Each structure stands twice: as C-alpha cells, then as structure tokens.
Amino acid sequence: MFAARLTRVPLTAFVTGLGKASSGHTSCTTIRTYANESRFGLRQAVKRKTLKEMAQAPATDTAFTLGRTGVAVASGLGIGALCYYGTGMSSETGAIDRAMLWPPVVRQRVKDTYMYFAGSIAMTAVSAIAVSRSPALMNLMMKNSWMAIGATFAAMIGSGMVCRSIPYQEGFGTKQLAWMVHSGIMGMVVAPLVLLGGPVLIRAAWYTAGVVGGLSAVAICAPSDKFLNMGGPLAIGLGLVLASSIGGMFLPPSTALGAGLYSVSMYGGLVLFGLFLLYDTQRVIKMAETHPQYAVQPFDPVNASIGIYIDTLNIFIRIAMMMAGGGGRKK
C-alpha cells in the first residue's frame, strides 16, 4: 500500500529541497505523514476483507443455542396455555365448551375432517416406505439439481391446487382420487427421511403425535377466535422461513450465515408450524360450525384437513432431523 501511494506522488515532492539547507523537521513530518496514510490504508483493507468474508466465517454454537432456546420458550408457553385454558381459568368459552351443544351435522363435519387427516398421514407413510424400497425413485428424490427441486415443488403445489379446486362429493370420486395423489406425492418427498433410521423416525412420530395432540387441545380449549387473528403474522413468518430454506441451499451450516439460516429454517419453522396448527385447528372448527347446511357447495372436509396435515408433516420433518443430529452444529 505504501509503495502504491508513492507511485502517485509527484517527483517534485522529493526534490524541492535540493540546493537548500535540509530541514530535519520537514523530513520527519513527511515520513510520519506517509506512515500514517499507510497504516490507515491497511486498516481499511482489513476492514473490507472482514466484511467480505463475514458470511463465510466458521459457524459457532450461537445460532443453534438461540434456536433451541426459542423452541424451549415456545414449548413452555404452549404448556402454560394448555393449563390456563384447559383448567377453565379463561372467562371466554372455547370449542370444547360448545361441543356438547353441537348439532349432529357439525359433529360429522369435524369427524370427517379428522378422518381425512388420518388417511393423509397413513397414505404418506405408505408412499414413503414404497419409494424407499425403490433405488431408482430414491435416487430421483435425492437429486439436488435445480430441475429436480423445481419439479418437486411443482408436483407438490400443483397436486394440492388441483385437489382443492375439485368440488367435494360424498363417497369416492375425483376429489378423493386427487387427495390420494397429493398424499402420495408428499410421501415421495419425505421418503429420504427413511435414511435416518427406523428408531429415529418412530420416536419422531411419537413426539409429533404428542406435539400435535397438545396444540390441538390448546386450540380447542382456547376462545374460538384467539388464534384466528394470526393470519398476517403467520404469512410473514412463512415467508421468512421459506427465504431461509432457500438461502440454506447456497450457504452450508458450517458457515456463520449458513448456520443462522439453518437455525431459522429448522427451529423457527418448528415454532411457526406449531402456530399454524393452532390457527388451522380453530379454522376447521369455525368452518364446521358456520358453513350453511343447505349451501350449494357442501362442507369440504378434504380441503379442511389439508392445512392441519401440512402442519403436522412439517413438524414431523423438523423433529426427525433434530433427533438425528441435524439440529446441532455442523462440523
């Protein structure tokens, strides 16, 4: 840096004292000036280098510690809410208080919704096991190319949109066939989780059942509109988790920024889909209670079940990855 600065200094700056008596004070001042400029330039270069390489710095445990802390706090709040609403300490009535007064049609709607939900979980598990036993399909689902990722997203979103768009009719028809196809595609997507091992997946399934059961109890015991007002914040949180997941494709968790994105996607996603489950559970109950009995379009339990099904699947995926060691620091 000092040599580069010297090349930009005019030659007359060094020969103005020729033929005159040399001045020690002037020479020392000139040397100090260039030395200070050199040190300043070096500091600037170091600063630029630090800012440039900050994203690629080695990861620390800070991001994962914050993520685990956030999940622990959310769990504590969930248990507290269950105790508060479940023991009847709230002055407002919840769905559990009105369930005794539900007419048979509302009971049947809620029952049908959760039957389709259970069926979706079962078909997803069967599809995942079937795909895991086919090396060709497993290789296809584990490809990391942009074309494979785009095709997977298109299949998931497209099948879900087709399923939702078909009018519901009782019995087995086009709607139910599209629902089965959508559940099968979701099973193909989660099939690589089989590589984590059966014991891990079984424990994750039990933990997921406990989380979903506890959150559903909170949603049923809480006032009917307590969580229905969270649509806006949940949409913002979903965008943040989605952006973190996409960013994690480019930055590995072994870097500081990659670890932060991974923590948001993993731990933040777990908390987010837990909140989504509260929202979707109360939405199912609200639709079952308010949908007109003699409307042109009957109540659609398939569409009503898709929300809680997607929430449960995302919770299961994150719990399984955490139990397999995916929530810890990547070396």
Side-chain angles (χ1 to χ4, degrees), residues 9 19 29 32 62 70 88 114 127 182 196 227 277 295 310:
V9 177
T29 302
R32 283 197 300 268
T62 303
Y114 278 90
S127 175
H182 177 61
L196 300 180
F227 303 111
L277 185 63
I310 296 297

Side-chain angles (χ1 to χ4, degrees), residues 142-201:
M142 295 179 66
K143 283 186 176 180
N144 291 325
S145 65
W146 283 109
M147 182 176 297
I149 295 174
T152 301
F153 273 99
M156 289 190 300
I157 297 174
S159 61
M161 293 177 63
V162 170
C163 180
R164 290 176 181 270
S165 64
I166 299 175
Y168 173 77
Q169 293 181 353
E170 293 186 359
F172 185 81
T174 308
K175 179 82 171 183
Q176 286 73 16
L177 181 61
W179 163 69
M180 294 177 65
V181 171
H182 177 61
S183 299
I185 291 175
M186 298 302 294
M188 294 177 63
V189 173
V190 301
L193 289 177
V194 176
L195 299 178
L196 300 180
V200 172
L201 295 181

Side-chain angles (χ1 to χ4, degrees), residues 54-327:
M54 184 179 298
Q56 299 294 335
T60 62
D61 291 332
T62 303
F64 300 109
T65 301
L66 291 176
R68 288 191 288 266
T69 301
V71 172
V73 171
S75 301
L77 292 176
I79 295 174
L82 180 60
C83 296
Y84 179 75
Y85 294 118
T87 55
M89 298 178 64
S90 175
S91 59
E92 303 177 74
T93 59
I96 194 172
D97 300 314
R98 302 190 309 273
M100 300 298 296
L101 304 177
W102 279 350
V105 63
V106 176
R107 294 176 181 271
Q108 189 63 39
R109 289 172 178 175
V110 175
K111 178 181 177 181
D112 291 343
T113 299
Y114 278 90
M115 288 296 292
Y116 276 108
F117 165 67
S120 298
I121 297 296
M123 283 188 291
T124 300
V126 171
S127 175
I129 294 174
V131 171
S132 67
R133 295 181 177 180
S134 172
L137 291 177
M138 280 293 286
N139 290 334
L140 178 63
M141 299 311 302
M142 295 179 66
K143 283 186 176 180
N144 291 325
S145 65
W146 283 109
M147 182 176 297
I149 295 174
T152 301
F153 273 99
M156 289 190 300
I157 297 174
S159 61
M161 293 177 63
V162 170
C163 180
R164 290 176 181 270
S165 64
I166 299 175
Y168 173 77
Q169 293 181 353
E170 293 186 359
F172 185 81
T174 308
K175 179 82 171 183
Q176 286 73 16
L177 181 61
W179 163 69
M180 294 177 65
V181 171
H182 177 61
S183 299
I185 291 175
M186 298 302 294
M188 294 177 63
V189 173
V190 301
L193 289 177
V194 176
L195 299 178
L196 300 180
V200 172
L201 295 181
I202 292 175
R203 291 201 307 271
W206 279 111
Y207 290 166
T208 302
V211 171
V212 172
L215 292 175
S216 298
V218 172
I220 293 173
C221 295
S224 300
D225 57 347
K226 189 68 175 179
F227 303 111
L228 290 177
N229 299 323
M230 298 192 307
L234 289 178
I236 296 174
L238 181 61
L240 179 61
V241 171
L242 180 61
S244 300
S245 300
I246 295 175
M249 297 179 182
F250 302 94
L251 294 171
S254 57
T255 63
L257 183 56
L261 294 175
Y262 188 86
S263 181
V264 171
S265 177
M266 183 66 60
Y267 297 106
L270 180 60
V271 175
L272 175 70
F273 285 105
L275 294 174
F276 261 114
L277 185 63
L278 295 173
Y279 171 83
D280 288 326
T281 301
Q282 288 201 337
R283 189 171 65 89
V284 167
I285 297 174
K286 188 72 171 181
M287 290 190 300
E289 290 178 335
T290 60
H291 191 86
Q293 184 173 357
Y294 302 103
V296 176
Q297 294 292 337
F299 175 78
D300 192 339
V302 176
N303 286 0
S305 68
I306 289 179
I308 54 178
Y309 161 66
I310 296 297
D311 301 336
T312 302
L313 195 59
N314 277 279
I315 291 173
F316 169 75
I317 291 172
R318 283 163 172 80
I319 290 179
M321 295 184 67
M322 290 178 189
M323 295 184 63

